[in-house]
């Protein structure tokens, strides 16, 4: 009789082989046809907004990694259970693998723009898993003669599991990077005329310890999206379709986009999930084509008050048409901080719209703009209860000293950033304990579309102190002290830290 430990191991090994084979096949059929990616995508789409907020709060930008690990853990537990059921009759094992396969096939075929052959990786993987399960049970049955043979079999099952894991992860790594990184490396960015480049003031950055730099390096730029696997889209395959309520539909290729007039602008992007004092906000220099120029060619029809942007993976965002036509520097970005967009930040093309949270404006891996109306269509996050418009609120943050820090008494430089994109910051004030508000020094900025650094010299005395910041935008509106969570249209409140001066 097969032992429970052996049966569980055999089930997990068979499942690992199934996933590994599916990942190998997905190299040919596309990373999005992988059962893990497909099922994970379905889970992400089905997750309520509050669960998403919790995931971001707990795991920060590693929320999708946590989902992947959780999926693998659940799969391993399910596979172990299938193996245990197969102790009495192998048919139960086949049925369990069949259930796994059916879920993967349905998920793969349900994804946006799924090819007809999206079921192939899961089908072949399930067949391989069933074959390995039968082989392992057959081998174990013949190994009952001696204990040495049993230990040898367990080693063989373990090696099978290890090999499947290595092949699976190796295939995933290869399938998500084949061709696109090389394509990105070969991109030659067109030059931008000097009069279309926003200059950066030389003293825009205070360069204080622990303070966010004015320009966020690409590797440190926050990353929040719904893509379980980063979409892989080459410049050769990229097309942008502009359609819907327009007088003239447009389809633009990569080469055609590069021939159009371009600008460079510093723009700060912010995630609506950012908590007060949080880090889901970054600033970069973007190069791209004005969206207003493209819409002028397409000629939106009356009533087209929303532009629905679509990613290659089906994600949608709804941007007010007025925000793209009111003169702000809303662009289709092809470059970030002087280099082609990193793949994880939307290569080859993404949207950048100053003044709006990313969930309504900053679509990555962009392939489609559809003129529509807010009355007729709800984009991805709007269906999940978020506000439809998404204007960024006036906020500020203390970066230095750090919360919970223990600076020495004497002169201390307090510093941080404040933002009110497309309105600009006119004043930042600091309060220590219950004292009077003091105006901080504002550093220069290239435009009203970026965050603004601020500093204040403080004569710190020994003891515990609470430091609070608030900002006022160029319209004269001071950020509210009313505490509100990110859901449904962005967090509010004043950021405070506590320090113990020695």
């Amino acid at each position: 009789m097969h032992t429970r430990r052996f049966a569980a191991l055999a089930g997990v090994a068979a499942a690992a082989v199934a996933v590994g084979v599916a990942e190998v096949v997905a190299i040919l059929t596309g990373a999005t046809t992988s059962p893990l990616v497909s099922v994970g995508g379905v889970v992400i789409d089905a997750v309520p907004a509050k669960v998403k907020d919790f995931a971001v709060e707990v795991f920060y930008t590693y929320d999708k990694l946590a989902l992947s690990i959780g999926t693998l853990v659940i799969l391993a537990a399910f596979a172990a259970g299938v193996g245990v059921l197969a102790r009495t009759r192998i048919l139960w094992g086949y049925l369990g693998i069949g259930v796994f396969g059916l879920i993967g096939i349905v998920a793969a075929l349900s994804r946006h723009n799924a090819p007809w052959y999206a079921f192939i990786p899961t089908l072949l993987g399930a067949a391989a898993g069933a074959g390995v399960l039968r082989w392992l049970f057959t081998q174990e049955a013949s190994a009952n003669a001696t204990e040495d043979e049993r230990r040898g079999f367990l080693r063989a099952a373990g090696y099978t599991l290890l090999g499947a894991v290595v092949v699976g992860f190796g295939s995933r790594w290869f399938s998500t990077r084949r061709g696109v990184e090389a394509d990105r490396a070969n991109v030659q960015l067109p030059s931008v005329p000097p009069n279309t480049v926003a200059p950066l003031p030389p003293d825009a950055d205070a360069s204080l310890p622990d303070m966010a730099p004015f320009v966020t390096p690409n590797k440190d730029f926050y990353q929040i999206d719904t893509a379980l696997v980063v979409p892989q889209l080459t410049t050769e395959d990229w097309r942008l379709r502009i359609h819907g309520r327009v007088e003239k539909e447009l389809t633009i290729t990569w080469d055609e986009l590069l021939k159009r007039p371009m600008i460079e602008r510093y723009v700060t992007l912010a995630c609506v999930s950012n908590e007060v004092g949080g880090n889901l906000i970054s600033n970069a220099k973007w190069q791209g084509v004005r969206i207003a120029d493209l819409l002028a060619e397409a000629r939106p029809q009356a009533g087209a008050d929303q532009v629905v942007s679509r990613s290659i993976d089906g994600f949608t965002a709804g941007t007010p048409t007025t925000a793209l036509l009111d003169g702000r520097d809303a662009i289709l970005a092809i470059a970030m901080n002087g280099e082609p967009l990193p793949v994880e930040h939307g290569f080859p093309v993404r949207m950048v719209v100053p003044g709006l949270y990313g969930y309504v404006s900053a679509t990555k891996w962009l392939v489609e703009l559809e003129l529509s109306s807010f009355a007729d269509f709800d984009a991805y996050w709007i269906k999940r209860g978020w506000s439809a418009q998404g204007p960024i609120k006036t906020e500020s943050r203390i970066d230095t000293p750090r919360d919970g820090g223990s600076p020495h008494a004497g002169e201390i430089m307090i510093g941080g950033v404040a933002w009110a994109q497309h309105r600009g910051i006119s004043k930042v004030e600091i309060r220590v304990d219950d004292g009077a508000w003091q105006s901080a020094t504002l550093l220069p900025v290239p435009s009203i579309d970026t965050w603004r650094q601020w500093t204040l010299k403080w004569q710190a005395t020994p003891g515990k102190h609470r430091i609070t910041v608030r900002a006022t935008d160029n319209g004269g509106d001071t950020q509210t002290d009313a505490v509100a969570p990110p859901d449904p249209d962005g967090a509010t409140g004043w950021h405070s830290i506590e320090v113990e001066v020695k």
Side-chain angles (χ1 to χ4, degrees):
M1 173 65 69
H2 308 298
T3 66
R4 184 179 294 271
R5 182 180 65 169
F6 154 74
L9 177 60
V12 173
V17 169
V19 172
V21 169
E23 293 295 338
V24 171
V25 177
I27 293 177
L28 302 176
T29 57
T32 56
T33 63
S34 155
L36 287 180
V37 174
S38 301
V39 173
V42 170
V43 172
I44 289 177
D45 289 349
V47 163
K50 292 187 181 300
V51 176
K52 174 257 185 187
D53 289 342
F54 173 78
V56 172
E57 180 180 354
V58 174
F59 300 108
Y60 187 50
T61 56
Y62 300 103
D63 54 334
K64 289 182 288 298
L65 175 60
L67 172 63
S68 297
I69 293 174
T71 300
L72 289 173
V73 170
I74 293 173
L75 173 60
F78 175 79
V82 168
V84 172
L85 287 175
R87 292 174 65 203
T88 56
R89 192 174 182 185
I90 194 67
L91 177 61
W92 292 115
Y94 296 155
L95 288 176
I97 292 176
V99 170
F100 162 77
L102 181 61
I103 293 173
I105 289 172
V106 171
L109 291 175
S110 69
R111 304 310 294 155
H112 179 73
N113 286 336
W116 67 266
Y117 49 80
F119 68 93
I120 293 178
T122 302
L123 180 63
L124 295 181
V132 167
L133 185 68
R134 180 175 181 82
W135 174 75
L136 289 175
F137 271 90
T138 302
Q139 289 295 107
E140 196 273 344
S142 66
N144 282 333
T146 68
E147 189 64 27
D148 287 341
E149 288 176 324
R150 178 178 293 279
R151 283 195 294 267
F153 164 75
L154 289 175
R155 283 195 299 270
Y159 292 148
T160 300
L161 173 59
L162 178 61
V165 170
V166 171
V167 169
F169 278 102
S171 300
R172 169 69 62 83
W173 180 89
F174 181 80
S175 66
T176 56
R177 287 163 176 80
R178 59 174 184 141
V180 175
E181 286 291 358
D183 181 47
R184 177 177 177 270
N186 291 327
V187 168
Q188 297 294 320
L189 295 176
S191 59
V192 180
N195 63 342
T196 64
V197 177
L200 179 65
D203 49 353
D205 202 322
S207 300
L208 294 177
D210 296 325
M211 193 164 169
F214 181 79
V215 177
T216 309
N218 290 355
K219 65 180 180 63
D220 297 329
F221 204 97
Y222 83 91
Q223 183 183 350
I224 293 290
D225 51 61
T226 63
L228 187 60
V229 171
V230 176
Q232 307 293 295
L233 183 61
T234 64
T235 55
E236 181 180 358
D237 294 334
W238 182 83
R239 299 287 188 279
L240 176 67
R241 182 188 177 205
I242 303 177
H243 67 108
R245 296 186 184 183
V246 296
E247 298 294 334
K248 177 184 177 182
E249 288 197 11
L250 300 176
T251 299
I252 302 170
T253 67
W254 172 258
D255 290 338
E256 291 170 342
L257 185 69
L258 263 57
K259 293 176 182 177
R260 291 175 174 269
M262 293 198 176
I263 62 173
E264 278 187 336
R265 293 291 187 270
Y266 291 94
V267 177
T268 298
L269 299 184
C271 179
V272 71
S273 296
N274 198 35
E275 299 280 356
V276 172
N279 295 317
L280 296 180
I281 179 170
S282 303
N283 184 57
K285 181 176 69 173
W286 309 92
Q287 175 182 338
V289 174
R290 291 182 184 274
I291 298 175
D293 294 344
L294 299 174
L295 295 184
E297 291 184 32
R299 301 192 300 274
Q301 296 175 345
D305 60 2
Q306 177 180 217
V307 176
V308 179
S309 53
R310 284 187 175 85
S311 168
I312 187 64
D313 66 351
F315 172 81
T316 56
T319 307
T321 306
T322 54
L324 303 177
L325 298 175
D326 63 4
R328 72 184 73 191
D329 292 320
I331 64 174
L332 299 186
I334 66 166
M336 180 179 181
N337 289 332
E339 64 180 63
L341 286 174
V343 178
E344 63 271 19
H345 287 293
F347 179 84
V349 179
R350 70 171 297 168
M351 284 180 66
V352 173
V353 182
L356 301 178
Y357 286 116
Y359 80 104
V360 299
S361 69
T363 301
K364 297 186 278 191
W365 313 289
L366 178 72
V367 294
E368 190 175 330
L369 295 176
E370 180 183 2
L371 275 295
S372 179
S373 72
F374 286 104
D376 291 342
F377 182 83
D378 288 334
Y380 184 92
W381 284 116
I382 312 310
K383 295 176 181 177
R384 291 154 176 81
W386 291 82
S387 172
Q389 301 287 329
I392 293 176
K393 298 179 177 180
T394 302
E395 287 293 332
S396 54
R397 187 183 75 198
I398 301 170
D399 285 351
T400 184
R402 290 293 190 185
D403 187 25
S406 300
H408 293 285
E411 186 176 272
I412 293 174
M413 187 69 78
I414 306 173
V417 290
W419 58 92
Q421 290 93 306
H422 206 56
R423 299 186 304 280
I425 294 294
S426 62
K427 182 169 62 175
V428 172
E429 299 170 287
I430 303 299
R431 183 175 65 190
V432 179
D433 300 322
D434 294 322
W437 288 101
Q438 306 174 61
S439 293
T441 299
L442 300 180
L443 277 64
V445 289
S447 76
I448 60 174
D449 292 333
T450 71
W451 58 13
R452 191 167 194 174
Q453 292 191 355
W454 55 266
T455 60
L456 178 73
K457 292 180 180 179
W458 172 43
Q459 290 296 328
T461 57
K464 292 184 178 180
H465 298 282
R466 185 174 185 83
I467 306 172
T468 304
V469 62
R470 70 181 183 185
T472 301
D473 64 27
N474 285 335
D477 294 326
T478 299
Q479 72 178 94
T480 178
D481 62 342
V483 177
D487 184 9
D489 58 2
T492 62
W494 292 341
H495 185 218
S496 296
I497 66 168
E498 292 186 353
V499 295
E500 184 167 3
V501 179
K502 297 181 179 179

